[in-house]
C-alpha cells in the first residue's frame, strides 16, 4: 500500500504500523462510503477487541489524518471525514488505482463485446499494469479486507483472461504460447488458461502439443482431485482431436466481428457472432416442447412489427430457450440470425445507440464516427427492410432500449428475453417460462450427468430436483458439481442442500452461481416490493392465499393485491389458482435469507403475530362453518379440507411465534386449533403445537391458557393410551384451574380424570370426580364444557348398567349440541342415545370419533 502525494511521482508514503494500514486499507476499499466504527473494530481485532478498542481506533484515525496532511498539505486532511456511524474517505476516481483498474476493466469488456479486440487488449493490458502484487499483501486481513482481496484477485484474473482472448482474436497465438505455459504452470487449476494454451498451440500448427497439454492437465486433476476437466475444456479437446478448422479462424483473419459469450454451463468461450451466426445451441437442452412449438408458429406467421417476448423468473433458462428456437428457425430467416446480449454486465444495460452500432458492425456496416441516433436508426431499419432476419435480443432492460432495435417491416422478427414483459410495445407475443416439471427436470439432469447417475439413485435424484425447485440453472449447477466431483453421491449433495440456510451457497461451482441472478432480480425491484418479498418468506413453501399474504404485509386487501401483482410482474412471484400465489422454491429460500439479513426482529415478530391472528381467525371461521353456526365474513373454500391443506403452515406459524418470543400469539393460535387437531386426529401436530403453547403460556404468565393447554395434552395422551401421562396433565390442569378459579377448565380436567378412573374400573372414584365436575360446571356460559360433563356422566351410567340414566344424560347432550349448532356433537349424541337403547356392543364411541373396545355385558331391560 503506497500513497503518492503532492511531491510527485517517486515520492511514496507507506504507513509503518500494521494496524494503521488496516484502517487505511479498509477505508480505501470502501472509498466514498461510510465505514462504521463497528466494522473497523472487527477488521482490526476480529472477535476479540480490547476494552479500549473505540478509543484506540480514534488514535489511528488521528494518525491517518496527520499522514494524509503530510502527503498533501493542501487537501490531504480534508479527505477523511467523521460521519456517523463511522468514517468516510472521499476520493475522486483518478486518485485511486483500484477505481482506475475497475474502469479500464469495464471498458475493456465493452470493447470485447463490440468486437474491438485491439482496443480491448490495450485496455486490459493497462488495467493489469496497475497491479503490483496481491491486494494488501503487506496488511493483516480482517473479514472485509479478506473479501475485497478475494474479489479483486478474481477481477485481476478476469482482466488477464480478457486480454488473452483479445490477443488470440488478433492472431497473436505465436507470441502467447510462452506466456500461457508460464501462467498455466503458475495457476494449475485455472482451466481457462490451459484452454487458451491449447488453442494457441493448435493455431500455431502444434496439434500434438495442444493434445499433450490437455493430457497433462487431466492427469494432474485426476491424481490430485479425482475430477475430470470441465465440459468446455473437454469440448475443445474433442475439436482439436478432430482437427476442427473452425478453431483456426480469428477475427484478424476473417475480418468478422466476434464476441465473447457464455456457454450453457456458464463458462466463457469464443463464439462467432458475425453475419448469420448464433452462439451454439445448448447441447443438453431438453423439454419445453409446447412452448417451442408455440414460438416457432408465432415466428413463422409473424405479422409486420411483431416479436416474441420470452419472460420468466431468473435462472429459468430464457436464453437457452431463445437460442434453441433460433437454431430451429433457420429456414424461415435465410438472411441471417443475430444474437446480442443487451446487458453484458449485470446492472449495465447497453444504450440503444450502442446496441444498434454493434448490430450494424456484425452485419458488416461501418458508419462514420460520431453518427447520430437518427442516422443509426435509419441504417439499422434499412438492414431489416425487405429481408428475413431474426434477432435474438437477450436480457432486455426496458422498452426504451428495445423500441429502436425491433423490426417494423414484414419478413424480419425478433425473440426478446427479459424478466419483465415489455408490454408497452406494440406487436408483442408473450411467452412465459415456468420452472421445469419433475419429468423435464429429470431429463435435463440425466442429459447433464449421464443416465447411470440417475439410475443408481432415483429417489435421491427426485429429492435433489425438488430442492432445486425445477429451476434449470440450479439443476445445471447440481449436475456440474456431481460431474466435477465423481466421488460425491447424489444423496451426499442432497444432504448439503436440505438446510435452507446454506442451500443457495451450496448451489455454486466456478462461475455458475444460482444465487447471483436471483439476488440481482431482487435488487432490481422497487424498495416496497423488496420488503414485501422478504416478508412473504415467513409463509411456508407452496401456494398461499391473499389473506395470509396481507397479514404478513400488514396491508389492506387492495394494498396486498397491488404489491403481489408487482412481484408477479417482476417474476419474483407466481400467480396461482383461486387468486393465490407462490414463491418459487429457490426465490422463497432467498426471501428467507434476505428477511434475516434486512428486517429487524421487531418487524419480523410483528408480521408473525399478524399471521398467527389471521390463521386463528380462519380456524374459527372454518369451525363455525363446519358446525353450521353463523360465521363472520366470507365462508372459506372447502372448509372440510381446510385444516388438512393448511396443517403444516399452521404448525410452522406456531413455531415461528414461539421462536420470535410472541408468546400470546402462539397461545391464541393453538387455542383456535384445538378442535381441528382433535377432529383430524393430528396427533403429531397436536403434541408439538401444545408443547410450544404450554411453554409460551408459562412464559407470559397466562395461567388460564396453561390449564387449557395441559388439559388438551391430557386429552391427547388419553387418546393415545398413555394413561400415566394423561393423569399427570389432567392433575396439573385441575390444580391450576382451582388456583385461578377457572371453572371451565376445572370441569374438563375433572372429566378427564374421571374417564381415567372409569378405564381402571374404579367407579366410585369416577363418580366422585364427575360429581365435582358437575359442581364446577360453568353453566350456560360454556355449554361445550357442560356437554363433556353430561357425556361422561352418560357413559358412567351406561358402564354401571343404568341405561335409563344414560339415556337422560345423552338426551341433555343432544339438546346442548342443538344449542351449539354443532352438527358433529349432535350426531355423536344421537349415536350415544342409540347405544343407551340397545346397549354397548364390542366397540364403544366414548368421545366424538374416539372408539374403544368394550366387553359386552347383558343389561337389564330399559325402563322407558
Amino acid at each position: 500500500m503506497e500513497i503518492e502525494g503532492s511531491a510527485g511521482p517517486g515520492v511514496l508514503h507507506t504507513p509503518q504500523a500494521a494496524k494503521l494500514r488496516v484502517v487505511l486499507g479498509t477505508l480505501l476499499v470502501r472509498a466514498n462510503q461510510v465505514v462504521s466504527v463497528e466494522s473497523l473494530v472487527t477488521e482490526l481485532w476480529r472477535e476479540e477487541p480490547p476494552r479500549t478498542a473505540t478509543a484506540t481506533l480514534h488514535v489511528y484515525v488521528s494518525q491517518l489524518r496527520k499522514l494524509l496532511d503530510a502527503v498533501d498539505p493542501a487537501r490531504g486532511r480534508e479527505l477523511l471525514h467523521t460521519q456517523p456511524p463511522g468514517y468516510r474517505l472521499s476520493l475522486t476516481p483518478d486518485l485511486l488505482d483500484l477505481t482506475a483498474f475497475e474502469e479500464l476493466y469495464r471498458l475493456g469488456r465493452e470493447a470485447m463485446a463490440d468486437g474491438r479486440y485491439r482496443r480491448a487488449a490495450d485496455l486490459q493490458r493497462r488495467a493489469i499494469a496497475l497491479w503490483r502484487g496481491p491486494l494488501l499483501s503487506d496488511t493483516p486481513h480482517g473479514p472485509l479486507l479478506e473479501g475485497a482481496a478475494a474479489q479483486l484477485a478474481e477481477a485481476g484474473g478476469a482482466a488477464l483472461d480478457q486480454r488473452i482472448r483479445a490477443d488470440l482474436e488478433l492472431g497473436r497465438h505465436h507470441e502467447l504460447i510462452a506466456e500461457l505455459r508460464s501462467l498455466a504452470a503458475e495457476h494449475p487449476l485455472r482451466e481457462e488458461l490451459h484452454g487458451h494454451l491449447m488453442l494457441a498451440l493448435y493455431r500455431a500448427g502444434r496439434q500434438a502439443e495442444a493434445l499433450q497439454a490437455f493430457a497433462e492437465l487431466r492427469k494432474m486433476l485426476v491424481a490430485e482431485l479425482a475430477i475430470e476437466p470441465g465440459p468446455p475444456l473437454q469440448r475443445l479437446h474433442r475439436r482439436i482431436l478432430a482437427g476442427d478448422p473452425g478453431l483456426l479462424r480469428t477475427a484478424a483473419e476473417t475480418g468478422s466481428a466476434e464476441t465473447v459469450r457464455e456457454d450453457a454451463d456458464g463458462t466463457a468461450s469464443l463464439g462467432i457472432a458475425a453475419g448469420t451466426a448464433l452462439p451454439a445451441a445448448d447441447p443438453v437442452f431438453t423439454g419445453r416442447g409446447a412452448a417451442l412449438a408455440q414460438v416457432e408458429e408465432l415466428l413463422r406467421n409473424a405479422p409486420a412489427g411483431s416479436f416474441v417476448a420470452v419472460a420468466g423468473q431468473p435462472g429459468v433458462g430464457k436464453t437457452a430457450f431463445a437460442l434453441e428456437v433460433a437454431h430451429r428457425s433457420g429456414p424461415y430467416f435465410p438472411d441471417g440470425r443475430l444474437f446480442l446480449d443487451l446487458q453484458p454486465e449485470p446492472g449495465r444495460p447497453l444504450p440503444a445507440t450502442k446496441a444498434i452500432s454493434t448490430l450494424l458492425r456484425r452485419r458488416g456496416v461501418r458508419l462514420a464516427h460520431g453518427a447520430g441516433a437518427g442516422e443509426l436508426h435509419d441504417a439499422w431499419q434499412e438492414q431489416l427492410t425487405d429481408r428475413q432476419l431474426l434477432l435474438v435480443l437477450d436480457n432486455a432492460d426496458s422498452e426504451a432500449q428495445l423500441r429502436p432495435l425491433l423490426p417494423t417491416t414484414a419478413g424480419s422478427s425478433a425473440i426478446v428475453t427479459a424478466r419483465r414483459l415489455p408490454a408497452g410495445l406494440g406487436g408483442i407475443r408473450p411467452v412465459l417460462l415456468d420452472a421445469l416439471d419433475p419429468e423435464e427436470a429429470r431429463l435435463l439432469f440425466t442429459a447433464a450427468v449421464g443416465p447411470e447417475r440417475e439410475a443408481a439413485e432415483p429417489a435421491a435424484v427426485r429429492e435433489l430436483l425438488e430442492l432445486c425447485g425445477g429451476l434449470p440453472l440450479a439443476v445445471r449447477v447440481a449436475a456440474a458439481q456431481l460431474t466435477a466431483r465423481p466421488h460425491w453421491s447424489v444423496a451426499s449433495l442432497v444432504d448439503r442442500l436440505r438446510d435452507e440456510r446454506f442451500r443457495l451457497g451450496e448451489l455454486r461451482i466456478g462461475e455458475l452461481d444460482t444465487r447471483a441472478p436471483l439476488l440481482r432480480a431482487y435488487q432490481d425491484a422497487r424498495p416496497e416490493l423488496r420488503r414485501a418479498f422478504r416478508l412473504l418468506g415467513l409463509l411456508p413453501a407452496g401456494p398461499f392465499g391473499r389473506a395470509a399474504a396481507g397479514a404478513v404485509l400488514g396491508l389492506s386487501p387492495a394494498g396486498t393485491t397491488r404489491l403481489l401483482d408487482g412481484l408477479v410482474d417482476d417474476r419474483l412471484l407466481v400467480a396461482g389458482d383461486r387468486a393465490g400465489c407462490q414463491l418459487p422454491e429457490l426465490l422463497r429460500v432467498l426471501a428467507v435469507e434476505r428477511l434475516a439479513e434486512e428486517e429487524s426482529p421487531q418487524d419480523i415478530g410483528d408480521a408473525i403475530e399478524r399471521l398467527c391472528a389471521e390463521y386463528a381467525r380462519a380456524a374459527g371461521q372454518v369451525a363455525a362453518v363446519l358446525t353450521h353456526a353463523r360465521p363472520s365474513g366470507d365462508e372459506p373454500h372447502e372448509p372440510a379440507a381446510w385444516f388438512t391443506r393448511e396443517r403444516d403452515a399452521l404448525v410452522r406459524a406456531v413455531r415461528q411465534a414461539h421462536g420470535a418470543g410472541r408468546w400470546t400469539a402462539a397461545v391464541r393460535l393453538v387455542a383456535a386449533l384445538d378442535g381441528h387437531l382433535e377432529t383430524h386426529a393430528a396427533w403429531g401436530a397436536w403434541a408439538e403445537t401444545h408443547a410450544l403453547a404450554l411453554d409460551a403460556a408459562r412464559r407470559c404468565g397466562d395461567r388460564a391458557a396453561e390449564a387449557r393447554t395441559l388439559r388438551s395434552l391430557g386429552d391427547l395422551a388419553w387418546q393415545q393410551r398413555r394413561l400415566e401421562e394423561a393423569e399427570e396433565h389432567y392433575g396439573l390442569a385441575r390444580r391450576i384451574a382451582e388456583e385461578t378459579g377457572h371453572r371451565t377448565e376445572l370441569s374438563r380436567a375433572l372429566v378427564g380424570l374421571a374417564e381415567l378412573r372409569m378405564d381402571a374400573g374404579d367407579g366410585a372414584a369416577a363418580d366422585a370426580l364427575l360429581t365435582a365436575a358437575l359442581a364446577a360446571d360453568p353453566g350456560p356460559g360454556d355449554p361445550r364444557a357442560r356437554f363433556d360433563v353430561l357425556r361422561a356422566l352418560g357413559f358412567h351410567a351406561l358402564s354401571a348398567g343404568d341405561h335409563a340414566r344414560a339415556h337422560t344424560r345423552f338426551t341433555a347432550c343432544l339438546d346442548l349440541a342443538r344449542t351449539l349448532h354443532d352438527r358433529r356433537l349432535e350426531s355423536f349424541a344421537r349415536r350415544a342415545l342409540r347405544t343407551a337403547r340397545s346397549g354397548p356392543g364390542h366397540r364403544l364411541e366414548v368421545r366424538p370419533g374416539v372408539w374403544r373396545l368394550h366387553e359386552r355385558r347383558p343389561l337389564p331391560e330399559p325402563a322407558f
Side-chain angles (χ1 to χ4, degrees):
M1 187 190 319
E2 297 171 344
I3 305 173
E4 182 181 289
S6 57
V11 182
L12 302 175
H13 304 260
T14 301
Q16 296 302 309
K19 296 291 189 186
L20 195 55
R21 292 199 302 274
V22 171
V23 176
L24 178 57
T26 306
L27 293 170
L28 284 172
V29 299
R30 290 290 185 267
N32 302 307
Q33 301 176 35
V34 176
V35 182
S36 69
V37 168
E38 181 182 359
S39 296
L40 288 166
V41 167
T42 302
E43 203 67 21
L44 286 162
W45 294 286
R46 298 231 175 202
E47 292 85 10
E48 298 179 356
R51 287 184 300 172
T52 59
T54 303
T56 305
L57 174 61
H58 291 330
V59 173
Y60 291 149
V61 170
S62 176
Q63 292 175 352
L64 187 54
R65 284 197 171 108
K66 291 178 182 177
L67 175 64
L68 293 171
D69 185 45
V71 170
D72 186 351
R75 55 174 182 166
R77 200 174 184 87
E78 299 174 358
L79 298 178
L80 182 53
H81 309 274
T82 300
Q83 185 173 332
Y87 302 95
R88 178 167 58 88
L89 188 59
S90 299
L91 297 174
T92 56
D94 60 304
L95 293 179
L96 187 60
D97 283 352
L98 173 60
T99 53
F101 164 79
E102 290 173 338
E103 180 65 9
L104 287 167
Y105 172 60
R106 182 185 68 80
L107 292 172
R109 283 198 57 147
E110 291 180 358
M112 192 74 175
D114 290 346
R116 294 175 289 138
Y117 301 113
R118 197 173 305 281
R119 176 163 172 75
D122 177 63
L123 287 165
Q124 299 296 6
R125 194 169 279 108
R126 288 162 56 193
I128 294 164
L130 293 172
W131 284 75
R132 293 186 295 274
L135 179 75
L136 300 173
S137 56
D138 62 343
T139 302
H141 285 184
L144 192 152
L145 288 180
E146 188 172 337
Q151 181 180 353
L152 285 166
E154 286 293 324
L160 176 63
D161 178 73
Q162 289 275 298
R163 196 224 83 208
I164 292 170
R165 290 176 188 275
D167 282 341
L168 282 169
E169 288 306 311
L170 293 170
R172 297 170 177 166
H173 34 270
H174 289 285
E175 299 95 314
L176 284 169
I177 290 173
E179 179 188 8
L180 286 169
R181 285 195 188 279
S182 174
L183 288 170
E186 184 181 353
H187 305 284
L189 300 181
R190 292 273 298 274
E191 291 191 19
E192 70 273 16
L193 294 174
H194 294 271
H196 296 327
L197 174 59
M198 291 164 61
L199 183 59
L201 288 166
Y202 181 69
R203 286 180 174 173
R206 298 155 68 174
Q207 180 183 19
E209 291 180 65
L211 294 172
Q212 184 181 14
F214 178 83
E216 290 172 355
L217 171 67
R218 181 180 181 277
K219 181 179 179 181
M220 183 272 293
L221 290 176
V222 170
E224 296 190 13
L225 300 176
I227 63 172
E228 293 283 341
L233 212 60
Q234 292 186 34
R235 287 196 293 270
L236 177 61
H237 175 252
R238 288 195 296 269
R239 293 180 70 185
I240 293 174
L241 194 63
D244 186 348
L247 288 177
L248 298 174
R249 293 194 296 269
T250 69
E253 294 163 349
T254 64
S256 63
E258 300 190 3
T259 183
V260 170
R261 64 175 175 81
E262 293 290 313
D263 278 339
D265 63 0
T267 57
S269 66
L270 288 171
I272 298 174
T276 61
L278 290 168
D282 182 355
V284 296
F285 184 91
T286 56
R288 308 287 195 197
L292 286 169
Q294 176 190 1
V295 176
E296 288 183 69
E297 178 65 23
L298 289 172
L299 291 175
R300 278 198 301 270
N301 302 291
S306 68
F307 68 99
V308 173
V310 180
Q313 63 170 295
V316 82
K318 299 182 288 294
T319 304
F321 176 84
L323 285 172
E324 183 71 17
V325 175
H327 278 280
R328 294 183 181 205
S329 302
Y332 310 111
F333 299 97
D335 292 315
R337 291 159 292 165
L338 289 176
F339 175 89
L340 180 62
D341 188 347
L342 294 176
Q343 196 167 175
E345 290 188 61
R348 292 179 178 271
L350 289 180
T353 52
K354 186 160 190 175
I356 292 176
S357 298
T358 303
L359 290 168
L360 287 170
R361 278 197 299 274
R362 292 179 185 177
R363 293 291 291 172
V365 178
R366 302 285 177 175
L367 296 181
H369 180 70
E375 187 178 356
L376 286 168
H377 180 268
D378 292 344
W380 176 236
Q381 289 303 319
E382 184 179 344
Q383 283 293 306
L384 299 173
T385 303
D386 297 326
R387 287 187 173 91
Q388 292 176 291
L389 189 69
L390 177 65
L391 306 178
V392 180
L393 302 174
D394 196 32
N395 288 323
D397 177 69
S398 66
E399 294 169 12
Q401 181 195 43
L402 276 175
R403 189 174 283 108
L405 307 179
L406 295 171
T408 58
T409 56
S412 295
S413 190
I415 305 173
V416 174
T417 73
R419 206 171 61 251
R420 303 178 185 90
L421 283 171
L425 295 176
I428 184 174
R429 302 291 187 269
V431 174
L432 297 180
L433 294 185
D434 292 325
L436 299 173
D437 64 37
E439 179 59 17
E440 287 180 326
R442 185 188 69 78
L443 290 173
L444 174 60
F445 178 81
T446 302
V449 302
E452 298 81 8
R453 296 295 288 271
E454 193 273 334
E457 301 177 86
V461 169
R462 283 195 297 273
E463 185 175 358
L464 173 67
L465 299 177
E466 289 173 4
L467 293 171
C468 291
L471 192 68
L473 173 60
V475 175
R476 289 175 180 278
V477 172
Q481 288 177 318
L482 293 168
T483 300
R485 303 179 177 98
H487 57 286
W488 279 17
S489 66
V490 179
S492 66
L493 179 55
V494 167
D495 286 341
R496 291 169 174 266
L497 299 181
R498 283 197 184 107
D499 193 328
E500 289 182 0
R501 295 172 299 170
F502 309 114
R503 189 181 307 170
L504 290 177
E506 291 286 349
L507 284 172
R508 176 181 181 179
I509 183 169
E511 294 182 4
L512 280 175
D513 184 357
T514 304
R515 178 192 277 110
L518 304 181
L519 187 59
R520 283 198 298 271
Y522 163 76
Q523 291 169 339
D524 285 346
R526 302 193 309 272
E528 65 270 23
L529 293 181
R530 291 201 299 271
R531 184 165 194 270
F533 175 79
R534 295 193 296 269
L535 289 172
L536 292 176
L538 289 169
L539 299 175
F544 55 80
R546 292 185 182 252
V552 296
L553 298 178
L555 295 174
S556 66
T560 299
T561 297
R562 180 179 61 82
L563 287 186
L564 294 183
D565 288 347
L567 289 170
V568 170
D569 290 342
D570 279 358
R571 310 298 160 211
L572 295 172
L573 193 65
V574 176
D577 298 334
R578 289 182 175 171
C581 293
Q582 181 172 348
L583 282 170
E585 176 61 13
L586 294 182
L587 281 168
R588 182 188 64 79
V589 173
L590 178 70
V592 173
E593 178 186 282
R594 293 296 90 208
L595 182 76
E597 289 288 331
E598 300 181 44
E599 288 293 325
S600 69
Q602 178 67 39
D603 287 346
I604 293 173
D606 290 347
I608 290 171
E609 197 159 331
R610 293 192 299 268
L611 180 62
C612 288
E614 166 56 27
Y615 281 149
R617 183 202 65 78
Q621 186 180 31
V622 170
V625 172
L626 292 173
T627 58
H628 205 246
R630 293 183 178 179
S632 59
D634 297 331
E635 293 189 4
H637 294 291
E638 301 176 3
W642 176 84
F643 179 79
T644 301
R645 186 176 64 249
E646 300 290 342
R647 175 168 59 188
D648 291 345
L650 297 166
V651 173
R652 185 173 187 267
V654 175
R655 286 194 209 110
Q656 288 172 316
H658 186 274
R662 301 301 173 112
W663 316 121
T664 301
V667 165
R668 288 176 179 170
L669 177 55
V670 171
L673 298 180
D674 243 351
H676 296 284
L677 293 163
E678 184 174 6
T679 300
H680 289 82
W683 289 354
W686 191 346
E688 181 180 357
T689 56
H690 281 65
L692 293 172
L694 180 60
D695 181 67
R698 287 169 173 166
R699 287 175 181 267
C700 68
D702 189 340
R703 300 280 281 165
E706 185 180 357
R708 181 179 66 245
T709 308
L710 283 164
R711 187 267 310 156
S712 184
L713 285 169
D715 290 343
L716 172 62
W718 179 81
Q719 289 199 29
Q720 295 181 299
R721 309 314 290 160
R722 292 182 282 110
L723 302 183
E724 289 184 7
E725 184 179 333
E727 184 155 13
E728 180 183 355
H729 288 319
Y730 285 141
L732 284 172
R734 174 186 183 179
R735 178 171 60 78
I736 294 170
E738 287 174 339
E739 291 172 359
T740 59
H742 198 293
R743 295 171 63 83
T744 294
E745 289 307 327
L746 175 58
S747 172
R748 299 188 73 173
L750 289 167
V751 167
L753 289 168
E755 288 179 311
L756 287 170
R757 300 280 68 77
M758 284 190 280
D759 286 343
D762 189 347
D767 189 64
L769 288 165
L770 288 172
T771 300
L774 195 60
D777 174 18
D782 193 341
R784 175 57 204 265
R786 184 170 180 79
F787 179 96
D788 279 339
V789 174
L790 293 170
R791 171 190 58 77
L793 285 167
F795 281 106
H796 183 50
L798 198 61
S799 65
D802 190 349
H803 55 292
R805 184 181 293 275
H807 187 276
T808 300
R809 299 300 193 192
F810 291 145
T811 300
C813 283
L814 180 59
D815 292 339
L816 280 171
R818 288 168 174 164
T819 301
L820 287 165
H821 302 286
D822 193 321
R823 291 173 294 181
R824 180 168 174 265
L825 293 184
E826 187 176 341
S827 297
F828 169 77
R830 292 184 187 281
R831 292 192 295 274
L833 279 169
R834 288 197 294 271
T835 300
R837 293 190 184 98
S838 61
H842 293 296
R843 293 175 70 245
L844 187 64
E845 187 182 15
V846 293
R847 293 186 184 183
V850 180
W851 298 79
R852 291 280 180 266
L853 293 176
H854 178 74
E855 182 181 350
R856 189 165 186 169
R857 298 193 298 268
L859 294 176
E861 287 296 319
F864 47 83

